[in-house]
């Protein structure tokens, strides 16, 4: 300025003024410039303030960013790091972070990607590194997004990169959860689903879609009635409803049966799905298929039913032989409940009947062959020992399943009892419980085998009680049974244990004394007769009995069962014949008689209906007037092989063999034919008596037969008289009375033959509708000699008359007898004195002569 002023003093005024002017303008300009400069300074200061404010704001912004932010140079060295970044990477101070390599911070694994990104990023194009897993200072992994951008010049950081790390861990976590959930859904073997309040499907997994043969998309939003039947639908809706209402999970059994398909079973766990406000918006379910289990359970149930309902007991033991299971039959048979045997050894039921060797063998077979079967005796809980049929099998260990023993058994006691009962019925006499003839036969065969081998002797005894039938008739069958039981006991008591007492039927016993010789047998027989002679005490009082015994010895008398029996029978016959209460050893004579009986039976069988058989007739006369009142038809047999056979010989054989029935019918027909023939020949009607034996009376419908033959012959019934011995009707008195009454109703006459020889009950006799009593010839023939017999005949006559019966005396041989009988009041007589039995023609002649005689001289 001073330089300018000196220059101005040397100048002209104009110049001066000019200069002054210039100076003034310059000053003015300077002022303006200064003002402008002032303004500019002002603006600059303002700008600086603004910049500082902006920088501060940005700094603050940078600092307060909630995510780590790093400013990197082109080499990846840290230039700036906000507080979040410092914390994240563990820097205490800003200084520490400076020039730190970002690669070292973020881990080598992401080097390449980061380096590439730092290179490729431009101002125009930000780069994002996704799914970047980095670790913070604590080593915790974070899934981040790295946003990389280029900073512009404004920040005086040209070419620097800003790296923002956005933590996406939560999102990644959620996404992973979602993926896991989806994977679970897709891979679950259960049905997973959810239904809203309207019953629409809001969730369905792949398995459900597969089961329903639909896609998941189609299932979502659809209603389940589209695939469920009404029953299943109702149940599922109910279940869901329960969850909606109670808001608590439930576990239920559900089924699903698609059309035509198998019914599938599920166990469904259902639970409520709630929204953020706790409201249930759907019910979800996880249904696990249990079809196989249910089928298994069903099979198990069936198996258990079979297990428990069978009649055989079952027990299962584990490897240590402890009981692990038993069935109902086991409990029923053994009496032990399940609790009482669980864990116990089956030996608790051992009976003690088997020795150690038995059980050793049992275990040996079970272990060696895996099976044992046989009869074993065990003890029930009540102590009773009983037989079982037991099958035990060893079940080998299978995988994790331990081995076991399975025992199946049946109670043999009932079977054994029935077998014993059957044996008893088959081989024992029910009344006396002694062996019957079948068992005796068996024992006899055995005795023959032993006797033959060991050359020993034995005896077969036939024992028959004398007049036993009368015990039955008089005292009833119950008393008869009492006596038979007592007899069998006495016989057994009198003999040795190895001897056999067999009731053959009726009052016949067969005894096998083995071994024994003849003198020994004789002693035994005496003992037996003595035993029988003791009085029998019955409910009806004391009874006296005797027996007749026949003995056959092995091997002297016979070597076969049949012959031994037959010979003992013959000997017994002989004993009876010899006066009862007696015994007889078999002899050759008896063998002949026995053979004769066989021959008679054989010949008689072929004689019926031939002229070998004829009828003879013996008259019956009125003892006072001598008038012919009737005739008795008596059978005669002239056998071409055996000769003339007496009725007393062949009638018993006919009775024993049953031949008496056809034979008796033939006699009846012949007698009726003869009556008719005599009537036809002009001799008038004559009553003819026909003998009827027990076989005829009981083994057929006699009244029916008689009615039939009377009708066929047209003979008046009154012309026929039937002679029955008192024993015949008394076999069964009640029934006998009925049969006699039926016969009487036919109009025939009935005579009681051989009266006095039996032991009739008079009370029954009085009920029999008889017309005539025939006094046995044994009484008649002793008349005059024996006062006692005379007394009997008198009593019989009186009895007969009191019963309104006529009397006929048989076997009248002498005039003394005739007279005596007359004095005794007997009505009629029959005997050699009047006539022998005559053939029909001879009888007709006798009849005519008798008529003529009686006309000429009255009977005396
Ligand atoms: N000692 C002697 N005997 C006399 C006299 N008068 C008759 N007799 C015999 O005495 C038996 C009488 O017959 P019964 O007592 O019915 O006894 C009969 C009868 O029980 C039975 N009988 C005969 N014929 C038949 C028949 O057709 N059917 C049946 N079931 N039995 C018959 O055979 C038995 C024996 O008959 P017979 O030998 O003909 O024997 C006859 C007869 O010949 C006499 O004065 N003295």
């Amino acid at each position: 300025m001073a330089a300018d002023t000196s220059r101005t003093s040397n100048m002209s005024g104009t110049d001066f003024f000019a200069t002054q002017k210039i100076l003034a303008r310059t000053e003015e300009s300077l002022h303006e410039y200064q003002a402008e400069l002032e303004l500019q300074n002002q603006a600059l200061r303002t700008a600086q303030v603004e910049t500082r404010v902006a920088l501060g704001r940005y700094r603050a912004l940078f600092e307060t960013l909630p995510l780590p932010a790093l400013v990197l140079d082109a080499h990846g060295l840290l230039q700036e790091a906000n507080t979040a970044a410092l914390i994240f990477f563990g820097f205490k101070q800003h200084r520490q972070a400076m020039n730190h390599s970002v690669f070292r911070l973020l881990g080598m694994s992401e080097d390449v990607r980061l380096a590439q990104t730092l290179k490729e990023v431009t101002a125009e194009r930000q780069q994002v590194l996704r799914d970047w897993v980095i670790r913070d200072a604590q080593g915790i992994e974070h899934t981040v997004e790295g946003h990389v951008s280029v900073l512009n010049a404004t920040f005086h950081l040209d070419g620097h990169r800003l790296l923002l790390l956005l933590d996406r861990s939560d999102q990644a976590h959620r996404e992973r959860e979602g993926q896991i959930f989806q994977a679970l859904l897709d891979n679950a073997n259960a049905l997973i689903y959810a239904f809203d309040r309207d019953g629409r499907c809001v969730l369905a997994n792949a398995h459900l879609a597969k089961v329903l043969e639909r896609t998941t998309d189609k299932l979502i939003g659809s209603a389940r009635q589209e695939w469920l039947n009404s029953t299943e639908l109702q149940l599922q809706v109910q279940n869901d409803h329960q969850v909606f209402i109670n808001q608590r999970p439930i576990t239920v059994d559900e089924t699903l049966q698609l059309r035509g398909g198998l019914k599938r079973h599920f166990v469904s766990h259902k639970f409520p799905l709630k929204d953020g406000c706790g409201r249930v918006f759907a019910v979800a379910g996880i249904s696990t298929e249990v079809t196989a289990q249910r089928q298994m359970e069903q099979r198990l149930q069936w198996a258990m039913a079979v297990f428990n309902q069978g009649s055989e007991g079952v027990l299962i033991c584990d490897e240590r032989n402890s009981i692990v299971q038993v069935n109902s039959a086991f409990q029923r048979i053994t009496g032990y409940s399940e609790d009482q045997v669980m864990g116990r050894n089956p030996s608790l039921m051992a009976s003690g009947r088997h020795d150690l060797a038995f059980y050793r063998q049992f275990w040996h077979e079970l272990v060696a062959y895996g099976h044992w079967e046989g009869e074993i005796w065990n003890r029930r809980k009540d102590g009773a020992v009983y037989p079982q049929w037991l099958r035990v099998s060893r079940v080998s260990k299978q995988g994790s399943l331990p081995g076991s023993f399975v025992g199946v058994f049946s109670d043999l006691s009932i079977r054994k009892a029935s077998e014993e009962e059957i044996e008893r019925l088959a081989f024992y006499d029910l009344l006396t419980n002694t062996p019957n003839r079948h068992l005796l036969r068996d024992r006899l065969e055995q005795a023959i085998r032993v006797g033959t081998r060991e050359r020993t002797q034995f005896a077969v005894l036939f024992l028959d009680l004398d007049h036993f039938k009368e015990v039955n008739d008089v005292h009833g069958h119950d008393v008869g049974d009492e006596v038979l039981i007592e007899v069998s006991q006495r016989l057994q008591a009198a003999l040795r244990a190895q001897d056999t007492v067999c009731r053959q039927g009726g009052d016949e016993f067969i005894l096998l004394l083995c071994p024994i010789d003849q003198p020994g047998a004789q002693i035994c027989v005496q003992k037996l007769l003595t035993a029988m002679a003791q009085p029998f005490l019955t409910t009806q009082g004391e009874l006296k009995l005797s027996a007749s015994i026949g003995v056959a010895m092995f091997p002297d008398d016979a070597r076969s069962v049949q012959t031994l029996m037959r010979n003992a029978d013959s000997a017994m016959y002989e004993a009876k014949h010899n006066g009862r209460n007696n015994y007889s050893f078999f002899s050759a004579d008896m063998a002949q008689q026995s053979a004769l009986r066989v021959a008679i039976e054989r010949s008689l069988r072929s004689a019926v209906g031939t002229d070998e058989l004829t009828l003879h007739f013996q008259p019956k006369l009125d003892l006072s007037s001598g008038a012919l009142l009737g005739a008795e038809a008596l059978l005669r047999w002239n056998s071409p092989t055996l000769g003339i056979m007496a009725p007393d010989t062949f009638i018993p054989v006919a009775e024993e063999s049953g031949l008496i029935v056809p034979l008796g019918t033939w006699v009846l027909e012949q007698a009726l034919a003869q009556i008719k023939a005599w009537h036809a020949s002009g001799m008038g009607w004559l009553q003819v008596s026909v003998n009827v034996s027990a076989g005829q009376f009981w083994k057929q419908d006699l009244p029916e037969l008689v009615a039939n033959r009377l009708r066929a012959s047209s003979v008046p019934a009154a012309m026929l008289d039937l002679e029955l011995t008192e024993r015949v009707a008394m076999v069964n008195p009640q029934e006998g009375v009925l049969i006699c009454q039926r016969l009487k109703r036919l109009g025939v006459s009935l005579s009681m033959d051989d009266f006095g020889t039996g032991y009739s009950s008079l009370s029954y006799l009085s009920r029999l509708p008889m017309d005539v009593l025939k006094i046995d010839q044994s009484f008649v023939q002793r008349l005059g000699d024996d006062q006692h017999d005379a007394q009997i005949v008198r009593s019989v006559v009186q009895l007969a008359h009191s019963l309104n019966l006529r009397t006929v005396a048989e076997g009248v041989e002498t005039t003394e007898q005739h007279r005596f009988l007359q004095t005794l009041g007997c009505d009629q007589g029959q005997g050699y004195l009047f006539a022998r039995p005559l053939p029909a023609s001879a009888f007709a002649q006798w009849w005519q002569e008798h008529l003529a005689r009686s006309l000429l001289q009255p009977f005396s």
Side-chain angles (χ1 to χ4, degrees):
M1 276 306 219
D4 288 345
T5 313
S6 62
R7 220 177 336 142
T8 315
S9 54
N10 297 329
M11 353 180 166
S12 64
T14 325
D15 286 340
F16 178 72
F17 283 114
T19 302
Q20 279 292 321
K21 236 175 141 175
I22 290 165
L23 280 172
R25 273 204 306 267
T26 301
E27 192 181 349
E28 198 180 323
S29 295
L30 275 172
H31 278 299
E32 283 175 4
Y33 181 70
Q34 190 179 2
E36 194 175 320
L37 210 57
E38 203 55 42
L39 278 170
Q40 279 182 356
N41 277 341
Q42 189 69 33
L44 188 61
R45 270 195 306 277
T46 307
Q48 278 177 334
V49 168
E50 281 177 355
T51 302
R52 262 199 313 275
V53 168
L55 270 173
R57 192 181 296 141
Y58 286 122
R59 181 82 224 167
L61 196 64
F62 183 65
E63 278 302 325
T64 53
L65 269 176
L67 60 161
L70 301 168
V71 176
L72 310 169
D73 69 6
H75 306 290
L77 297 176
L78 253 68
Q79 300 304 308
E80 287 288 345
N82 70 351
T83 309
L86 292 176
I87 293 167
F88 188 87
F89 292 111
F91 294 114
K92 290 203 175 79
Q93 290 172 343
H94 192 261
R95 253 183 307 117
Q96 286 178 322
M98 287 306 97
N99 290 319
H100 216 93
S101 168
V102 77
F103 297 108
R104 276 177 60 203
L105 274 183
L106 300 178
M108 299 298 284
S109 62
E110 295 293 349
D111 265 10
V112 179
R113 202 150 69 112
L114 179 59
Q116 188 73 18
T117 307
L118 289 175
K119 216 163 89 184
E120 285 174 357
V121 71
T122 61
E124 292 76 32
R125 211 159 145 250
Q126 204 183 47
Q127 293 283 332
V128 179
L129 276 163
R130 294 183 197 282
D131 296 328
W132 196 15
V133 179
I134 61 173
R135 284 178 189 278
D136 65 13
Q138 272 80 45
I140 297 167
E141 277 192 348
H142 296 261
T143 303
V144 296
E145 269 177 22
H147 289 252
V148 184
S149 52
V150 175
L151 293 171
N152 59 32
T154 320
F155 301 100
H156 305 286
L157 291 164
D158 291 357
H160 282 62
R161 273 81 171 139
L162 175 67
L163 173 60
L164 294 173
L165 298 174
L166 259 77
D167 197 333
R168 296 285 189 208
S169 293
D170 284 352
Q171 191 188 339
H173 188 66
R174 273 197 302 280
E175 280 173 6
R176 203 167 307 133
E177 272 184 349
Q179 284 161 357
I180 292 168
F181 177 64
Q182 194 58 46
L184 281 175
L185 274 185
D186 291 345
N187 292 294
N189 205 21
L191 311 179
I192 302 174
Y193 47 82
F195 288 87
D196 64 14
R197 284 185 177 276
D198 298 330
R200 304 258 154 214
C201 181
V202 294
L203 173 72
N205 73 338
H207 192 54
L208 178 63
K210 189 176 158 203
V211 168
L212 298 178
E213 296 175 344
R214 286 151 203 250
T215 61
T216 317
D217 292 347
K218 278 206 167 161
L219 281 178
I220 304 293
S222 57
R224 53 191 152 184
Q225 48 262 50
E226 289 179 22
W227 60 83
L228 290 181
N229 66 36
S230 57
T231 319
E232 290 165 347
L233 178 70
Q234 196 183 359
L235 181 70
Q236 294 199 13
V237 168
Q238 262 174 21
N239 291 340
D240 283 12
H241 184 68
Q242 199 183 331
V243 179
F244 272 119
I245 298 295
N246 299 331
Q247 303 195 11
R248 273 201 300 272
I250 56 168
T251 302
V252 285
D253 278 4
E254 290 178 339
T255 56
L256 179 62
Q257 186 170 27
L258 298 176
R259 222 170 309 141
L262 170 88
K263 190 179 210 178
R264 299 172 74 166
H265 297 260
F266 296 87
V267 170
S268 299
H269 183 68
K270 302 203 157 184
F271 48 93
L273 293 181
K274 296 180 182 177
D275 62 16
C277 304
R279 282 188 299 260
V280 179
F281 66 92
V283 170
I286 301 172
S287 297
T288 312
E289 182 156 14
V290 289
T291 306
Q293 286 98 306
R294 290 286 181 270
Q295 285 171 347
M296 184 65 87
E297 281 165 16
Q298 180 68 70
R299 275 190 220 116
L300 207 64
Q301 270 180 10
W302 290 333
M304 284 309 286
V306 172
F307 183 69
N308 277 321
Q309 282 172 18
S311 60
E312 291 188 311
V314 179
L315 78 162
I316 302 172
C317 296
D318 64 13
E319 281 174 317
R320 290 174 296 116
N321 202 26
S322 300
I323 297 174
V324 290
Q325 197 167 2
V326 295
N327 71 345
S328 314
F330 172 97
Q331 299 176 56
R332 206 171 46 244
I333 294 170
T334 65
Y336 284 104
S337 72
E338 194 169 355
D339 295 347
Q340 289 164 334
V341 293
M342 273 306 178
R344 305 281 304 270
N345 190 296
S347 62
L348 97 143
M349 294 174 289
S351 63
R353 275 213 186 185
H354 304 287
D355 58 9
L356 208 62
F358 175 88
Y359 288 108
R360 259 199 211 120
Q361 182 64 21
F362 171 92
W363 281 108
H364 168 72
E365 283 185 30
L366 197 54
V367 171
Y369 313 114
H371 185 78
W372 185 89
E373 178 166 358
E375 188 176 307
I376 191 166
W377 287 76
N378 272 333
R379 192 180 293 279
R380 297 187 218 272
K381 195 184 162 209
D382 63 9
V385 172
Y386 69 106
Q388 289 179 349
W389 187 259
L390 175 66
R391 300 191 303 276
V392 189
S393 300
R394 189 162 54 87
V395 181
S396 316
K397 193 174 165 171
Q398 281 184 350
S400 60
L401 292 173
S404 54
F405 300 102
V406 178
V408 180
F409 61 90
S410 49
D411 186 348
L412 289 184
S413 53
I414 298 163
R415 208 177 81 192
K416 283 227 175 226
S418 0
E419 276 171 11
E420 277 168 18
E421 180 61 12
I422 289 165
E423 189 187 295
R424 202 175 74 80
L425 291 174
F427 294 111
Y428 288 84
D429 172 57
L430 295 183
L431 178 68
T432 59
N433 213 18
T434 55
N436 66 10
R437 73 184 75 176
H438 301 297
L439 184 55
L440 174 84
R441 186 176 190 86
D442 190 62
R443 295 203 177 158
L444 264 173
E445 282 167 355
Q446 199 181 340
I448 289 171
R449 278 197 296 275
V450 173
T452 308
R453 193 173 59 236
E454 297 177 2
R455 296 175 185 278
T456 48
Q457 300 180 65
F458 66 84
V460 178
L461 278 62
F462 261 53
L463 183 148
D464 190 277
L465 297 174
D466 300 329
H467 303 302
F468 176 73
K469 210 177 76 54
E470 285 148 22
V471 175
N472 272 341
D473 293 346
V474 176
H475 301 285
H477 282 89
D478 288 347
V479 172
D481 288 351
E482 280 179 50
V483 170
L484 288 172
I485 293 167
E486 174 69 21
V487 166
S488 72
Q489 285 167 354
R490 287 188 191 183
L491 294 177
Q492 279 167 322
L495 299 176
R496 294 168 301 181
Q498 72 261 35
D499 297 332
T500 301
V501 174
C502 151
R503 180 168 168 245
Q504 155 99 328
D507 57 346
E508 279 181 11
F509 290 83
I510 303 177
L511 318 178
L512 169 62
L513 279 53
C514 185
I516 202 164
D517 56 11
Q518 191 160 8
Q522 197 148 1
I523 294 168
C524 282
V525 167
Q526 296 284 7
K527 262 166 59 179
L528 294 171
L529 287 177
T530 312
M532 290 302 105
Q534 304 307 310
F536 287 81
L537 277 175
T538 72
T539 45
Q540 303 251 318
E542 207 177 271
L543 286 179
K544 288 211 80 170
L545 275 175
S546 63
S548 301
I549 302 174
V551 188
M553 295 298 300
F554 173 90
D556 293 347
D557 296 337
R559 289 168 177 269
S560 73
V561 172
Q562 211 177 356
T563 322
L564 273 167
M565 303 255 280
R566 198 175 57 228
N567 291 349
D569 191 22
S570 300
M572 195 267 290
Y573 245 80
E574 182 69 14
K576 280 236 186 271
H577 192 71
N578 292 341
R580 304 175 195 254
N581 192 20
N582 214 329
Y583 69 89
S584 175
F585 275 77
F586 177 75
S587 69
D589 279 4
M590 292 175 205
Q592 275 173 10
Q593 282 184 15
S594 165
L596 180 65
R597 275 204 299 276
V598 174
I600 288 173
E601 187 188 328
R602 195 181 308 124
S603 303
L604 193 59
R605 205 171 284 279
S606 56
V608 181
T610 69
D611 59 4
E612 288 178 36
L613 293 166
T614 48
L615 285 186
H616 283 196
F617 297 88
Q618 187 177 33
K620 289 185 201 174
L621 304 172
D622 184 300
L623 286 178
S624 308
S625 67
L628 176 66
L629 298 175
E632 180 178 3
L634 293 159
L635 189 56
R636 296 289 176 263
W637 179 27
N638 188 1
S639 163
T641 48
L642 303 169
I644 291 173
M645 301 296 298
D648 282 336
T649 309
F650 70 83
I651 293 286
V653 177
E655 281 180 340
E656 278 169 33
S657 63
L659 270 172
I660 194 70
V661 175
L663 198 60
T665 305
W666 182 84
V667 169
L668 176 66
E669 288 167 350
Q670 291 298 309
L672 289 172
Q674 193 55 62
I675 298 169
K676 200 173 174 195
W678 284 325
H679 179 257
S681 66
M683 296 179 71
W685 291 111
L686 183 74
Q687 189 186 59
V688 173
S689 301
V690 171
N691 285 284
V692 173
S693 68
Q696 288 170 272
F697 192 83
W698 293 108
K699 287 185 185 160
Q700 64 182 344
D701 189 344
L702 185 64
E704 177 67 31
L705 176 86
V706 172
N708 204 312
R709 296 304 189 266
L710 280 172
R711 235 186 344 265
S713 63
S714 314
V715 170
M719 292 302 112
L720 180 65
D721 175 64
L722 299 176
E723 288 191 11
L724 318 170
T725 63
E726 50 182 316
R727 291 184 196 278
V728 168
M730 287 299 156
V731 168
N732 180 344
Q734 280 176 332
E735 186 66 16
V737 168
L738 292 175
I739 295 172
C740 289
Q741 283 171 346
R742 283 177 64 204
L743 287 168
K744 264 317 282 172
R745 280 200 291 273
L746 295 175
V748 299
S749 157
L750 294 181
S751 297
M752 177 149 290
D753 204 1
D754 302 341
F755 188 76
T757 56
Y759 197 72
S760 301
S761 155
L762 286 178
S763 62
Y764 277 117
L765 188 67
S766 62
R767 287 172 56 197
L768 286 173
M770 291 289 154
D771 299 288
V772 176
L773 270 192
K774 291 188 83 176
I775 302 164
D776 190 69
Q777 55 179 280
S778 57
F779 299 109
V780 175
Q781 281 167 9
R782 288 195 297 263
L783 279 178
D785 309 337
D786 191 334
Q787 278 303 307
H788 181 68
D789 284 332
Q791 187 56 42
I792 290 174
V793 173
R794 183 178 289 110
S795 307
V796 170
V797 171
Q798 282 170 359
L799 170 77
H801 288 165
S802 72
L803 291 172
N804 220 8
L805 306 178
R806 293 187 304 280
T807 46
V808 176
E810 289 183 311
V812 184
E813 292 183 354
T814 62
T815 45
E816 289 77 32
Q817 290 165 351
H818 179 199
R819 248 181 250 121
F820 210 159
L821 286 164
Q822 262 186 304
T823 57
L824 291 174
C826 187
D827 303 307
Q828 298 172 27
Q830 178 186 344
Y832 295 167
L833 177 65
F834 312 119
R836 287 184 171 259
L838 299 165
S841 54
F843 181 85
Q845 201 179 336
W846 176 89
W847 188 355
Q848 279 174 344
E849 287 170 6
H850 175 74
L851 273 174
R853 261 199 315 273
S854 56
L855 285 173
L856 291 172
Q857 57 186 71
F859 197 68
S860 59

